[in-house]
Amino acid sequence: MGTDWCPRELRHSFVSLLSAHKVTIEEIARLVGHSSTNVTETVYRHEIRPALTEGAVAMNKIFKPKAG
């Protein structure tokens, strides 16, 4: 999948990863060239942790050894 990413996906991931690592929204907006934080917050920043947590829980259920 990584080789099939388009610039749009990379930009969204860049913003989301920086946000998840506590970079201020003002600094992120500056890095991606936004004149204000509004677009950065409402369009580009996505919460990653809930999706990662849900995915990890699902994988644990799938691969958990059956008690027997």
Side-chain angles (χ1 to χ4, degrees):
M1 179 174 174
T3 59
D4 296 331
W5 287 20
C6 68
R8 177 191 162 280
E9 292 169 323
L10 292 172
R11 188 171 171 93
H12 283 254
S13 295
F14 177 75
V15 169
S16 297
L17 287 168
L18 290 177
S19 180
H21 285 87
K22 307 295 187 223
V23 176
T24 66
I25 195 67
E26 292 81 11
E27 180 66 10
I28 297 169
R30 187 186 69 74
L31 287 168
V32 295
H34 294 155
S35 59
S36 74
T37 61
N38 186 46
V39 171
T40 311
E41 288 181 286
T42 59
V43 176
Y44 285 92
R45 184 172 66 172
H46 307 286
E47 183 61 45
I48 295 174
R49 286 198 182 123
L52 290 176
T53 302
E54 290 171 16
V57 168
M59 292 303 286
N60 281 338
K61 288 178 182 177
I62 292 167
F63 291 105
K64 183 178 179 180
K66 303 241 188 267

